[in-house]
Amino acid sequence: MRELLRSWWHEPRPAGPPRGWRDWLLVVVFAATALLEGFVRSDLPAPAFVPVLVGVGLAPVLLWRRTRPLLMAAVAFPVCAVGEAVVGGDLGLHTLAYLLILVFSLSRWGAGREAVLGATIVAAKIVLSAAVGHLRPGDALAGAGVVSAALALGAALRYRARARQREFEQVKLLERERLARDLHDTVAHHVSAMAIRAQAGLAVLDTQPAAAADALRIIEAEATRALVEMRAMVRVLRRDEPADRTPAPRIADLEHLASRSARGPAVEVELSGDLDGLPMPVSTAIYRLAQESVTNARRHARHATRIVVRVACDDEVVRLRVSDDGEGPGPRGFGPAGFGLIGMRERAQLLGGSVDAGPNLDRGWTVSATLPRTVAA
């Protein structure tokens, strides 16, 4: 238990989303609700303007609930205690229930020590209100239960977000390993070609010097390509596993994805532009992205009749577009855990490209990828 409390005390603050228009809207809504409640209710404790003033004045603390949760709790709950002292009892303003958002934010967005100190402040306020008679024992006990539930909910969502982020990182790492394996096999291919050419050049060096010179030029070209791809390989991770001896798929292998089956949508592949001479990592990445996109469309595109794979290449970039005409129920997941798109983006970014996915205007879904012709340094 001591280790658990110590780890929670040293828990760092998680990264939260930046303040946006929704936060301002939340403040406006609660401030307006507090004013409205002050006008329509006649049972507020006298002087009635005190609960309304507290409700309106504390609404802006919600703007800093993610960045300064402890400070906001240290401001809001003592102010409520002072307001209760002025009116001689519970403020009675239902709108002040929004302070539970601050309680939730303590365990969701605060550091471990901030959550502990903030919960202590909230508990002290409840105990103080019950001790001076502003809250009945039953109400104080119910309030403690609600506060505990808000803290538990914040902690649960905090660890759920952390687990999901960990899954994201695992997917990215797996994609880096796959890309490193493809790059490793490509470099091994270039090195093998250089060794064979060197042996051939040595064999004909005395009888055919011109052929030996040609072999040297080919070795130089292979070595240049191997060095470029090795620089890309050191940027990614690879486990100590034996290399796959089967050739890595390339753009030319996209023709194998084309099919016309009675059970599923027809897959059409269209290739255009100068696709010769692409680096192996780029060619393999285009194939992998297209394969993942086609698999996802077959799995999730309801009532789809057609999947079109288009690859276009110019002097600088290679563009991939995979679209279907199915009826997808909202955003589609890629892979069994919904992380396939993350892996696709990771692979593309490692090669200096990008991947986008989204619904079409009328129906269907489209995945677009852009990769540079040369491997990113």
Side-chain angles (χ1 to χ4, degrees), residues 247-273:
R250 308 188 68 170
I251 286 182
D253 296 316
L254 286 175
E255 298 291 349
H256 300 312
L257 297 179
S259 66
R260 295 188 179 276
S261 173
R263 293 186 176 181
V267 180
E268 301 176 6
V269 178
E270 301 176 6
L271 307 178
S272 62

Side-chain angles (χ1 to χ4, degrees), residues 5 37 71 73 80 84 90 96 129 141 155 174 232-233 245 256 269 278 286 304 342 350:
L5 293 176
E37 190 175 354
L71 178 59
C80 288
E84 290 178 354
D90 185 24
L96 285 174
S129 297
L141 185 61
L174 178 60
M233 185 172 63
R245 298 304 178 184
H256 300 312
V269 178
L278 286 177
I286 289 293
I342 298 174
L350 288 172

Side-chain angles (χ1 to χ4, degrees), residues 262-311:
R263 293 186 176 181
V267 180
E268 301 176 6
V269 178
E270 301 176 6
L271 307 178
S272 62
D274 182 14
L275 300 176
D276 296 329
L278 286 177
M280 178 71 78
V282 176
S283 186
T284 301
I286 289 293
Y287 177 87
R288 299 291 192 196
L289 297 176
Q291 183 184 44
E292 178 75 17
S293 301
V294 170
T295 301
N296 180 73
R298 283 174 169 165
R299 181 180 299 148
H300 297 289
R302 298 183 303 173
H303 310 299
T305 61
R306 186 168 175 254
I307 302 173
V308 180
V309 180
R310 293 189 178 93
V311 178

Side-chain angles (χ1 to χ4, degrees), residues 155-165:
L157 292 181
R158 177 196 191 106
Y159 286 106
R160 180 178 179 273
R162 175 184 293 179
R164 190 166 181 83
Q165 182 62 33

Side-chain angles (χ1 to χ4, degrees), residues 131-164:
V132 299
H134 295 164
L135 284 178
R136 292 177 296 181
D139 293 337
L141 185 61
V146 172
V147 166
S148 300
L151 289 171
L153 178 60
L157 292 181
R158 177 196 191 106
Y159 286 106
R160 180 178 179 273
R162 175 184 293 179
R164 190 166 181 83

